């Protein structure tokens, strides 16, 4: 498709989506639109949480962390993808490739941990409402935020060192729109068993543990909700958790498909896999602020106030 070969500069070449090169320019339009929605939506969410005192609560603190992480996730990959769609295959230096895959994977693990923290917040709010302010104190929230951020950093940092030890004596052409760990490791002319073991097992087991804790939290929440005597109280509690469940499904469903297809889906066409991997890094960050804006009444009210025009007297 492209007459490209590895060079002596040590740069890698990102091809884009193999098999859809003639459609790159058309694919770029929805990607660019969705990316703009993600940037604007998460920026508005962060602005509202920062300026509205009524939103200075643990749930919205974790939501602001999710918005920042989503911005990092999409901005790490989407601009690079759009450049390839518009200008053709692009070169990226090895340090640049390492930085891109580090922020990509670290954002993914941190997103998962934030969703777990938000599930714990909802569990305390519904199952122990009278102890909510004493359990989730500002100091506790800072400890949780610092802990999950440090954990994500420590889990992904070894990936960088595992790649720097590999020799790349064959092709440096990556059939993708951005760098990711196993895709780069497979270009090495050395044994990558450690990369495959660590890059797949450690982050995935961490994320699976998050999923299990989230499932336990929401199971306990549902048990508590259906024991509430008031129908209005049950409806309010379920509505409060509805946005969280939607975001969790939007995040984990495409993420697990992409990861499992990369590891086990040898029959999955490469074109479909890479296209799906691009959708994964842009659609959840764009839909998260929309879902929370629709499902969370406090945010919905503040958005209406923000965009409403005051009548002139």
């Amino acid at each position: 498709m492209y007459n490209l070969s590895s060079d002596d500069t040590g740069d890698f070449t990102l091809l884009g989506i193999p098999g859809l090169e003639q459609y790159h320019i058309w694919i770029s339009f929805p990607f660019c639109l969705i990316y703009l929605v993600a940037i604007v939506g998460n920026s508005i969410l962060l602005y509202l949480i920062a300026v509205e005192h009524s939103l200075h609560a643990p749930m919205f603190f974790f939501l602001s962390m999710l918005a920042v992480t989503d911005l990092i996730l999409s901005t790490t990959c989407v601009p690079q993808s759009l450049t390839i769609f518009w200008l053709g295959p692009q070169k990226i230096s090895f340090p640049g490739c390492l930085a891109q895959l580090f922020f990509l994977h670290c954002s993914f693990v941190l997103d998962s941990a934030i969703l777990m923290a938000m599930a714990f917040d909802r569990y305390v709010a519904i199952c122990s409402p009278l102890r909510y302010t004493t359990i989730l104190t500002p100091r506790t929230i800072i400890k949780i935020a610092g802990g999950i951020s440090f954990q994500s950093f420590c889990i992904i940092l070894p990936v960088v060192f595992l790649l720097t030890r590999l020799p790349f004596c064959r092709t440096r052409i990556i059939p993708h729109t951005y760098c990711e760990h196993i895709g780069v490791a497979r270009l090495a002319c050395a044994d990558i068993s450690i990369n495959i073991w660590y890059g797949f097992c450690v982050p995935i087991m961490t994320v699976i543990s998050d999923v299990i804790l989230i499932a336990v939290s929401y199971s306990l929440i549902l048990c508590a909700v259906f024991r509430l005597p008031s129908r209005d109280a049950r409806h309010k509690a379920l509505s409060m958790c509805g946005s969280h469940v939607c975001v969790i499904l939007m995040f984990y469903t495409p993420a697990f498909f992409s990861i499992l297809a990369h590891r086990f889906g040898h029959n999955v066409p490469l074109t479909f896999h890479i296209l799906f991997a691009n959708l994964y890094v842009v659609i959840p960050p764009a839909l998260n602020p929309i879902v929370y804006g629709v499902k969370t009444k406090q945010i919905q009210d503040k958005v209406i106030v923000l965009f409403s025009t005051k009548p002139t007297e």
Side-chain angles (χ1 to χ4, degrees):
M1 291 179 289
Y2 292 99
N3 187 20
L4 299 171
S5 61
S6 60
D7 49 39
D8 296 328
T9 64
D11 292 343
F12 290 87
T13 301
L14 295 166
L15 290 184
I17 305 177
L20 296 179
E21 292 83 3
Q22 64 271 33
Y23 303 109
H24 275 179
I25 191 64
W26 300 107
I27 295 173
S28 69
F29 291 118
F31 268 79
C32 184
L33 179 62
I34 297 171
Y35 177 60
L36 290 176
V37 171
I39 295 294
V40 173
N42 285 288
S43 298
I44 291 174
L45 198 60
L46 288 171
Y47 171 77
L48 290 175
I49 294 173
V51 302
E52 294 293 339
H53 183 72
S54 61
L55 299 181
H56 292 176
M59 181 182 75
F60 298 107
F61 175 80
F62 292 129
L63 181 56
S64 65
M65 282 189 66
L66 185 67
V68 171
T69 308
D70 281 343
L71 287 174
I72 295 173
L73 176 64
S74 57
T75 304
T76 297
C77 302
V78 179
Q80 176 82 67
S81 301
L82 292 176
T83 303
I84 295 172
F85 293 155
W86 290 334
L87 303 177
Q90 298 292 306
K91 291 187 179 297
I92 184 172
S93 65
F94 185 56
C97 193
L98 291 178
Q100 186 178 58
L101 65 89
F102 171 79
F103 284 108
L104 168 67
H105 297 306
C106 190
S107 299
F108 169 73
V109 175
L110 183 55
D111 254 345
S112 178
I114 293 170
L115 291 175
M116 180 189 65
M118 295 175 73
F120 174 70
D121 170 82
R122 291 301 85 202
Y123 164 75
V124 177
I126 293 174
C127 297
S128 301
L130 299 179
R131 301 175 56 200
Y132 183 76
T133 55
T134 58
I135 294 176
L136 287 174
T137 61
R139 185 175 181 179
T140 302
I141 295 169
I142 292 174
K143 286 183 178 180
I144 293 174
I148 61 178
S149 300
F150 184 70
Q151 171 193 268
S152 303
F153 176 84
C154 292
I155 288 173
I156 301 303
L157 185 61
V159 169
V160 176
F161 294 103
L162 288 175
L163 284 175
T164 55
R165 72 181 180 86
L166 295 176
F168 296 93
C169 54
R170 297 195 294 261
T171 179
R172 290 177 177 263
I173 299 172
I174 304 175
H176 211 309
T177 55
Y178 54 81
C179 295
E180 54 85 29
H181 176 211
I182 301 300
V184 175
R186 283 178 175 162
L187 300 179
C189 48
D191 181 33
I192 61 170
S193 300
I194 297 178
N195 294 74
I196 293 175
W197 179 85
Y198 188 91
F200 179 76
C201 294
V202 176
I204 289 301
M205 292 308 296
T206 303
V207 172
I208 288 177
S209 66
D210 292 340
V211 172
I212 293 173
L213 292 174
I214 290 171
V216 171
S217 297
Y218 279 99
S219 298
L220 295 174
I221 288 171
L222 288 176
C223 292
V225 166
F226 288 115
R227 285 200 301 265
L228 294 175
S230 171
R231 183 176 180 182
D232 291 337
R234 288 198 300 269
H235 181 269
K236 183 179 179 181
L238 290 173
S239 178
M240 186 185 300
C241 297
S243 55
H244 296 258
V245 174
C246 291
V247 169
I248 288 167
L249 291 176
M250 287 189 306
F251 175 75
Y252 284 113
T253 302
F256 277 120
F257 175 84
S258 180
I259 293 170
L260 294 176
H262 202 305
R263 183 67 182 88
F264 301 108
H266 303 294
N267 295 325
V268 177
L270 182 62
T271 298
F272 177 78
H273 181 199
I274 295 176
L275 182 62
F276 199 86
N278 278 271
L279 293 174
Y280 153 67
V281 299
V282 69
I283 289 183
L287 291 182
N288 286 352
I290 296 175
V291 170
Y292 279 109
V294 172
K295 300 288 288 185
T296 307
K297 190 176 187 303
Q298 297 101 311
I299 294 178
Q300 188 178 8
D301 293 341
K302 300 304 178 183
V303 170
I304 292 173
V305 171
L306 179 65
F307 290 100
S308 62
T309 56
K310 295 181 179 180
T312 57
E313 297 181 357

